[in-house]
């Protein structure tokens, strides 16, 4: 057996590491406080929450692999919408309690190849499909989770672009088309 020769990502400088620390800390402080608020406000009724684990994976991409296609807003938004929709639909498949585990296998089996086919691969969306396929209050939690994704994107744009060594997003095709239409750039 043999693998490829792509190599491993280079180590960060201390300055880059500090930018990642600040970005992740600020973002997850906001997300954790929002989750605490949501859980407190819905404790007596629907018991909603912001699912934080896939957002931790998203911020790992946004602050440590900023130029990677999987970390770009386009992939994050479209892949998460698709993954959450599929997971929520899969959760309606009637299975006995004994066989409910199958939903957590079926959702990512649909989502992960579909992301590849559509060119929107985003690993946190694969994780979200597993989590959401076995939850209650899926549609309400989906909206809350997509707000969390939006918060991470906004923070990543603001914080990463404060450094002259970082740029985020590095790829947003609709932005360059819009700039070209209004005459801001001559890309097309």
């Amino acid at each position: 057996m043999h693998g490829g020769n792509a190599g491993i990502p280079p180590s960060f400088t201390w300055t880059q590491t500090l930018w990642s620390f600040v970005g992740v800390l600020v973002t997850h402080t906001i997300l954790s406080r929002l989750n605490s608020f949501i859980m407190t406000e819905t404790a007596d009724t629907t018991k909603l929450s912001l699912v934080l684990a896939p957002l931790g994976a998203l911020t790992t991409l946004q602050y440590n692999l900023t130029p990677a296609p999987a970390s770009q807003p386009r992939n994050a938004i479209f892949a998460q919408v698709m993954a959450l929709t599929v997971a929520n639909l899969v959760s309606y498949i009637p299975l006995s309690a004994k066989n409910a585990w199958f939903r957590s296998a079926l959702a990512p089996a649909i989502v992960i190849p579909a992301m590849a086919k559509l060119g929107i691969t985003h690993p946190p969306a694969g994780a979200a499909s597993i989590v959401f396929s076995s939850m209650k209050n899926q549609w309400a939690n989906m909206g809350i989770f997509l707000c969390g994704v939006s918060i991470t994107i906004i923070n990543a744009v603001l914080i990463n672009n404060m450094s002259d060594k970082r740029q985020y997003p590095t790829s947003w095709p609709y932005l360059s088309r819009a700039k070209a239409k209004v005459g801001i750039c001559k890309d097309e």
Side-chain angles (χ1 to χ4, degrees), residues 55 58-59 61-63 65-82 115 119-125 145-146 148-158 160-161 167-176:
L55 297 175
L58 175 54
T59 55
L61 292 172
Q62 290 172 324
Y63 293 104
L65 295 171
T66 55
S71 70
Q72 299 306 305
R74 173 186 174 272
N75 287 34
I77 293 167
F78 293 141
Q80 290 291 4
V81 168
M82 183 191 66
M115 285 190 293
I120 55 172
T121 297
H122 182 66
F145 184 76
L146 290 174
V149 170
S150 299
I151 289 167
T152 64
I153 291 170
I154 291 166
N155 281 349
V157 168
L158 295 174
N160 279 320
N161 289 311
Q167 179 184 354
Y168 183 83
T170 57
S171 172
W172 190 255
Y174 307 110
L175 184 59
S176 61

Side-chain angles (χ1 to χ4, degrees), residues 105-135:
L106 182 60
I110 294 169
V111 167
I112 293 170
M115 285 190 293
K117 177 64 179 162
L118 296 172
I120 55 172
T121 297
H122 182 66
S129 72
I130 295 169
V131 173
F132 279 83
S133 67
S134 59
M135 287 179 65

Side-chain angles (χ1 to χ4, degrees), residues 92-115:
Y92 288 104
I93 295 174
L95 295 172
S96 68
K98 185 177 178 181
N99 296 325
W101 58 266
F102 184 68
R103 291 183 187 115
S104 295
L106 182 60
I110 294 169
V111 167
I112 293 170
M115 285 190 293

Side-chain angles (χ1 to χ4, degrees), residues 2 13 15 34 37 48 50 61 86 88 104-106 108 119 122 140 158:
H2 65 321
T13 64
T15 303
L34 177 61
F37 174 77
L48 298 174
L50 176 59
L61 292 172
V86 168
N88 286 332
S104 295
L106 182 60
H122 182 66
L158 295 174

Side-chain angles (χ1 to χ4, degrees), residues 20 43 70 87 91 120 132 136 140 177 179:
S20 289
S91 74
I120 55 172
F132 279 83
K136 295 187 192 283
R177 288 186 197 138
K179 285 180 180 178

Side-chain angles (χ1 to χ4, degrees), residues 36-59:
S36 177
F37 174 77
I38 291 167
M39 290 174 65
T40 301
E41 294 298 314
T42 64
D44 296 333
T45 55
T46 55
K47 298 182 181 170
L48 298 174
S49 67
L50 176 59
V51 179
L52 295 172
L55 297 175
L58 175 54
T59 55

